[in-house]
Amino acid sequence: MRRGEAVDRRPLAERLTDVITHDQLPVGATFPSSTKLCARFGVSRPTLAKALHKLEAAGLLSESKQGKPRTVLSLPKREESASP
């Protein structure tokens, strides 16, 4: 690791949720492929599959089926900071 380089230590499922927000994917948009996500986050396919399953269970993504890409089903809820 390089000095001064920040590492995102949040669970992969949370970082994948950020893909929807940062890439500005609307409902119905195609979610990036497993190959692209593995390269983007530096993880193995089994690790990615577990995280994607969590997003499917939460209703954010459709299930992936052979020949049919995963799509965004709903947008993540933004956590708003509470004002004192």
Side-chain angles (χ1 to χ4, degrees):
M1 185 165 121
R2 296 181 192 155
R3 194 181 310 174
E5 193 173 296
V7 175
D8 190 347
R9 299 207 181 270
R10 294 177 301 148
L12 183 58
E14 284 183 32
R15 293 186 285 159
L16 289 173
T17 301
D18 286 348
V19 169
I20 297 170
T21 306
H22 289 106
D23 292 2
Q24 298 180 344
L25 300 175
V27 171
T30 301
F31 200 68
S33 69
S34 294
T35 303
K36 288 181 181 177
L37 292 169
C38 285
R40 183 170 174 172
F41 293 102
V43 297
S44 67
R45 281 187 177 271
T47 299
L48 179 67
K50 288 178 187 177
L52 288 171
H53 182 70
K54 288 180 181 180
L55 297 185
E56 291 168 6
L60 293 174
L61 297 178
S62 67
E63 289 185 37
S64 176
K65 297 185 176 160
Q66 187 163 352
K68 184 178 177 195
R70 208 173 254 110
T71 57
V72 177
L73 295 178
S74 67
L75 300 177
K77 293 181 175 83
R78 288 189 278 169
E79 292 182 24
E80 301 191 19
S81 55
S83 303

